[in-house]
Amino acid sequence: MKNLTQVLIMLFCLCMPALLHAQRDDSKYLAGAVPEVDGKVVFTKDFSIPGMSQDTIYSRLLRWMDARLAKNGNNSRVVFSDKEKGQIVGIGDEWIVFSSTALSLDRTKILYQLTVTCQPEKCVFEVEKIRFNYREGKEKYTAEEWITDKYALNKSQTKLVRGLAKWRRKTVDFVDALCIEVTEALSASTAAQAPVEEKKEEKKETKALVNSGTTVIAPKTQVTVETPKATATTPATATVTVAAAPQTNVQAAQNAYKEVAPDAVPADAIQTGNGKLVIVIGEEPFNMTMMTANAGGSLGKIAGNKPVIFTILSPEQPYAQMEAAQNYTVRFYPNGQTEPSVILECKKVPSQAPIEGMPRTYIGEILKAKIK
C-alpha cells in the first residue's frame, strides 16, 4: 500500500504542470498578438494627447527613453534624435526572466529597437528588430523565427506551442510594460520609470495593451506632486482604515454631485498638482480603506475608447490591499477642500507590476463618474 501511495503521488506531481497549463487563459497571446509588417515583427502603439505640442511630446519621450535605457547598465542607449522631425530611436539589451527558483534560473537576453515618431497631439511608439540570446548566447533566435503566429501557435491558432509559449508570453508582456511606461511619461508623472516584470493575473485578458488601439491621455497641466504631510498619528504613506460618516450625511453630500458618462469627465477635472487622488477600497460605510496615490495619476483612454484613470503609488506605500481589490473608487480632492470634486467608481484593469522598490501604476476602467 505504501508503494502504491508513492506511485500515486509521483503521478500527481507529474500531471500537475500539465493541468495548470491547460487551465491557463492564453487568449491575450493568440492570433495577432505578435504583429508583422512585411514579414518583420513590429509592435506599434498609437497615443493621442489632446492639447500637447509636438515639442513637449518629444522632450518627454526623449527624457523617458534616455533614462529607461540607461537603467540596463550596458550599451543600451538613444542612438538617434531629431527634434524638428520628432523622431527618437534607441536600442536596448536586457534580461527577460522566464522562471527563477533557488535551484535554477531560466532567462534570456532580449535585444530590441525602440522608435518614437512625434507629431502635434499624438505619437507612434514602435518596438522592432527583436532578437533573443539564450543560454548565455549559445542559442540565438530572431522574433520572426521564434514567436510569430506561424511558429508559436498550433495549426488552428487556438493554442500556444508548448516549447515557444514562454517566449511569446514574456515578449508581449515586455512590450505591454513599455507601453505603460510611455503612458506615464506622457501623462507627466513625476515618478521614476523602471523595467516591469510580469504579474500573474486571475482575470481574463483578451487583448494585449499594445494591440488594444489608440491610448488617449489627458495630460496634467501641472506636474508638481505634493506628498501629503505626515501627522503624529498617520504617516504620509500609510494605509488608513476610517469610519465613514453616517449614511444620512453621505446621501446629503451626494446630492451635490452630477453623474456624467465615464467618457464625459473633463480632461482638466483632475490635476494632481492642485490636489490629491485618494483611492477608496471597500463599500461598507464603516469599514473602508483609503490611501493617497502619492505619485499622482491622470485620466486617459485605452483599448480604443475605454475611459480609465491611472493612479500611481510611490515605492514606500503599502499596496497589498490594492493588489487584492477588483473594484475601487478614486476621489480627487482639490487643495484646501475637504470634499472631493470628482468621484470615479472603477474596475481594475490587469496591468504589469514593477520590480520591488519602484512605483506601482494601477489602471481603473471608469464605470461611473460624478463631478461637482
Side-chain angles (χ1 to χ4, degrees):
M1 179 62 70
K2 182 177 180 181
N3 290 337
L4 178 59
T5 301
Q6 291 176 336
V7 170
L8 291 174
I9 292 174
M10 290 179 64
L11 288 173
F12 177 79
C13 293
L14 289 172
C15 293
M16 182 56 69
L19 291 172
L20 292 175
H21 178 79
Q23 294 174 354
R24 179 165 186 163
D25 174 30
D26 277 327
S27 56
K28 171 182 174 180
Y29 310 101
L30 296 181
V34 178
E36 296 181 64
V37 178
D38 297 329
K40 299 293 183 181
V41 172
V42 182
F43 290 94
T44 303
K45 182 67 175 176
D46 295 324
F47 292 88
S48 173
I49 319 95
M52 187 176 289
S53 68
Q54 176 176 317
D55 284 353
T56 301
I57 296 172
Y58 173 87
S59 62
R60 289 187 182 186
L61 292 187
L62 178 60
R63 185 166 57 249
W64 166 77
M65 189 183 297
D66 188 55
R68 173 61 174 77
L69 296 177
K71 291 180 183 294
N72 295 344
N74 50 31
N75 289 326
S76 300
R77 66 193 187 281
V78 173
V79 295
F80 174 80
S81 60
D82 188 321
K83 185 174 183 179
E84 185 176 346
K85 293 182 179 179
Q87 295 179 342
I88 311 169
V89 180
I91 56 173
D93 175 356
E94 60 190 274
W95 291 105
I96 283 182
V97 177
F98 299 125
S99 63
S100 177
T101 67
L103 300 177
S104 66
L105 175 62
D106 185 17
R107 64 180 184 175
T108 184
K109 270 291 185 78
I110 182 171
L111 296 88
Y112 56 91
Q113 176 178 301
L114 304 179
T115 303
V116 172
T117 304
C118 307
Q119 296 179 9
E121 300 189 328
K122 62 182 180 180
C123 71
V124 179
F125 176 64
E126 295 179 322
V127 184
E128 57 184 324
K129 298 181 180 177
I130 297 173
R131 294 166 289 145
F132 306 102
N133 287 352
Y134 191 47
R135 301 189 190 280
E136 308 301 326
K138 295 177 182 178
E139 300 177 25
K140 297 183 179 182
Y141 312 102
T142 65
E144 288 75 19
E145 65 182 350
W146 211 239
I147 62 170
T148 57
D149 291 359
K150 179 180 178 181
Y151 297 105
L153 299 181
N154 62 0
K155 289 184 179 180
S156 61
Q157 296 193 329
T158 57
K159 294 181 180 180
L160 298 178
V161 174
R162 180 166 299 191
L164 301 179
K166 64 181 182 182
W167 301 80
R168 186 167 168 114
R169 291 191 194 106
K170 284 292 187 176
T171 303
V172 172
D173 288 345
F174 174 76
V175 176
D176 263 7
L178 290 174
C179 290
I180 291 176
E181 293 184 41
V182 171
T183 300
E184 292 176 2
L186 290 173
S187 64
S189 168
T190 57
Q193 306 301 319
V196 187
E197 294 180 346
E198 180 190 29
K199 176 177 68 177
K200 292 183 179 179
E201 300 292 349
E202 295 180 357
K203 296 176 67 178
K204 183 176 181 181
E205 292 185 54
T206 58
K207 213 168 193 179
L209 177 61
V210 69
N211 297 321
S212 63
T214 301
T215 292
V216 181
I217 301 170
K220 297 187 287 291
T221 57
Q222 295 189 24
V223 299
T224 302
V225 177
E226 298 180 358
T227 302
K229 294 181 180 180
T231 66
T233 57
T234 306
T237 59
T239 301
V240 185
T241 301
V242 301
Q247 187 64 24
T248 54
N249 292 341
V250 173
Q251 290 174 340
Q254 287 180 344
N255 291 332
Y257 294 92
K258 176 178 66 174
E259 185 171 340
V260 299
D263 58 358
V265 180
D268 60 352
I270 292 177
Q271 300 177 23
T272 53
N274 294 324
K276 61 182 179 180
L277 285 174
V278 175
I279 301 169
V280 181
I281 304 171
E283 298 180 357
E284 295 185 14
F286 292 94
N287 186 23
M288 57 178 60
T289 297
M290 303 178 69
M291 59 194 305
T292 300
N294 283 350
S298 64
L299 295 167
K301 292 183 180 180
I302 64 170
N305 232 10
K306 182 185 296 182
V308 298
I309 181 165
F310 301 91
T311 51
I312 310 171
L313 303 185
S314 55
E316 68 275 10
Q317 287 187 273
Y319 56 85
Q321 288 177 289
M322 203 48 200
E323 289 289 315
Q326 297 299 320
N327 294 79
Y328 57 93
T329 300
V330 178
R331 302 174 182 174
F332 176 68
Y333 290 81
N335 288 337
Q337 299 295 318
T338 58
E339 293 290 334
S341 60
V342 180
I343 301 175
L344 306 175
E345 295 181 15
C346 306
K347 178 178 70 174
K348 188 166 68 177
V349 176
S351 60
Q352 308 303 315
I355 58 177
E356 194 66 29
M358 302 307 297
R360 290 177 176 262
T361 298
Y362 293 93
I363 306 174
E365 178 186 355
I366 302 173
L367 304 178
K368 197 172 185 179
K370 296 179 181 179
I371 59 176
K372 273 194 174 182

